[in-house]
């Protein structure tokens, strides 16, 4: 038997970051939107725990027990007193180390897939608890849609969306480490009063109305100056998307993927084409959101 789960990428339409906490994490007001770029995680009963990966960035994915998918299988197995004997195969389409929660998606996907494969039938609350232990963005990968995350980003409230938002994503030639970007945020903020992060009313209204112009006026990412400081060439990518007609251009999460909000699919194709020929990024993709969270695609008999 095997089970396949499809899990979406995310873009942060608002990422408000507070001062570093004593535990090293930062309090956030993190507005997530899931978008239709997906990884597919397939789990199959096996003699031991093993991870394999296919896709354009597969060589950058760790296949040992540091992989969030492996850690998810172990965490569920420990709770239910069983061995995590499973082969996890990741068909990876979400960029690696891109600020689009690709690793988190694989963690949420493996958790839901193992739960179905093993028949452990963990409750939604229990699954969300395990997700939060695995990483700050993992609960959102499970839930999908649109949500506000507070605390480390793991305490979620689902948000209403009144329509589909169209995006273009530009993937960079190298990754950025999330902890390094947060450290740079701390360095740039030294000696300044960092305000308590709060969700923007205008932004939540824009999401609820499905209004791309209002959303474009309200998007923000407090990690962007830190990401640009570590990766200055990203400002050329942002400028290329803006001059091609994007309504808004921002770094996605901790980057280095850049996200461009556009009005409709026609404008997405135009901005995507301009970015492809700009020479400022590695690859370009279009996707729209909100997209559903981790979804079981079906149980399949192993070949
Ligand atoms: O939770 P996660 O493992 O995804 O976080 C990765 C790193 O990002 C943390 O080790 C921390 O350095 C940083 N982080 C943070 N504050 C958050 C979330 C992440 O400082 N709210």
């Amino acid at each position: 038997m095997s089970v396949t789960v499809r899990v979406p990428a995310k873009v942060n339409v608002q990422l408000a970051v507070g001062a570093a906490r004593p535990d090293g994490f930062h309090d956030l007001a993190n507005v997530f939107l899931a978008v239709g770029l997906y990884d597919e995680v397939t789990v199959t009963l096996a003699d031991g725990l093993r991870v394999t990966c296919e896709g354009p960035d597969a060589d950058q994915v760790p296949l040992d027990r540091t992989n969030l998918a492996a850690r998810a299988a172990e965490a569920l197995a420990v709770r239910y007193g069983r061995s995590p004997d499973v082969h996890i195969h990741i068909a990876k389409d979400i960029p690696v180390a891109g600020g689009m929660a690709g690793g988190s998606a694989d963690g949420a996907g493996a958790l839901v897939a193992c739960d179905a494969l093993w028949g452990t039938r963990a409750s939604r609350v229990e699954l969300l608890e395990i997700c939060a232990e695995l990483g700050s963005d993992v609960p959102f990968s499970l839930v999908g849609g649109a949500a506000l995350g507070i605390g480390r980003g793991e305490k979620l409230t689902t948000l209403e969306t009144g329509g589909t938002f169209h995006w273009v994503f530009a993937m960079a030639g190298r990754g950025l480490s999330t902890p390094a970007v947060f450290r740079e945020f701390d360095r740039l903020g030294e000696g300044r009063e960092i305000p308590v992060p709060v969700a923007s009313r205008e932004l939540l209204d824009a999401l609820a109305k499905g209004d791309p112009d209002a959303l474009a006026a309200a998007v923000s990412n407090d990690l962007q100056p830190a990401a640009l400081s570590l990766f200055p060439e990203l400002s050329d990518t942002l400028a290329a998307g803006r001059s091609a007609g994007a309504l808004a251009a921002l770094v996605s999460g901790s980057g280095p993927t850049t996200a461009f909000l556009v009005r409709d699919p026609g404008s997405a194709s135009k901005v995507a084409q301009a970015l492809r020929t700009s020479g400022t990024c590695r690859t370009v993709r279009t996707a729209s959101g909100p997209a559903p969270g981790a979804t079981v695609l079906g149980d399949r008999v192993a070949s």
Side-chain angles (χ1 to χ4, degrees), residues 3 90 119:
V3 177
I90 302 167

Side-chain angles (χ1 to χ4, degrees), residues 46-271:
D47 292 337
L49 179 57
R50 188 162 74 93
V51 181
T52 54
C53 185
E54 68 175 86
D57 290 350
D59 57 333
Q60 297 165 52
V61 175
L63 300 179
D64 60 14
R65 292 195 176 200
T66 61
N67 188 299
L68 275 182
R71 288 180 44 211
E74 281 181 326
L76 187 70
V78 165
R79 284 210 179 202
Y80 284 87
R82 55 172 300 142
S83 308
D85 294 338
V86 75
H87 170 204
I88 303 171
H89 182 70
I90 302 167
K92 179 149 269 311
D93 201 28
I94 305 175
V96 176
M100 296 191 77
S104 300
D106 301 341
L111 185 65
V112 170
C114 286
D115 185 51
L117 183 73
W118 296 337
T120 38
R121 302 173 68 90
S123 68
R124 187 82 165 169
V125 169
E126 214 175 335
L127 291 175
L128 284 170
E129 253 172 47
I130 299 174
C131 286
E133 282 164 21
L134 294 170
S136 308
D137 288 349
V138 184
F140 179 71
S141 298
L142 184 84
V143 169
L148 167 65
I150 59 165
R152 282 188 289 125
E154 87 288 15
K155 293 182 194 135
L156 296 177
T157 310
T158 299
L159 296 174
E160 263 186 63
T161 46
T164 302
F165 294 99
H166 301 278
W167 295 86
V168 181
F169 296 99
M171 287 70 171
R174 64 178 166 93
L176 266 180
S177 138
T178 301
V181 174
F182 274 101
R183 275 198 303 275
E184 184 67 0
F185 171 87
D186 292 338
R187 196 185 67 79
L188 294 175
E190 258 167 35
R192 277 197 297 121
E193 183 76 17
I194 311 276
V196 171
V198 282
S200 145
R201 191 66 260 165
E202 291 76 19
L203 183 115
L204 300 184
D205 287 347
L207 280 177
K209 284 201 193 109
D211 179 343
D213 291 289
L215 185 64
V219 291
S220 67
N221 179 1
D222 287 354
L223 289 181
Q224 183 159 315
L228 290 179
S229 165
L230 297 176
F231 201 149
E233 305 91 309
L234 293 180
S235 34
D236 297 335
T237 322
L238 292 171
R242 270 192 213 103
S243 63
L247 301 175
L250 76 166
V251 170
S252 176
S254 59
T257 299
T258 41
F260 302 88
L261 179 61
V262 293
R263 188 163 287 118
D264 51 39
S267 152
S269 309
K270 193 171 146 253
V271 171

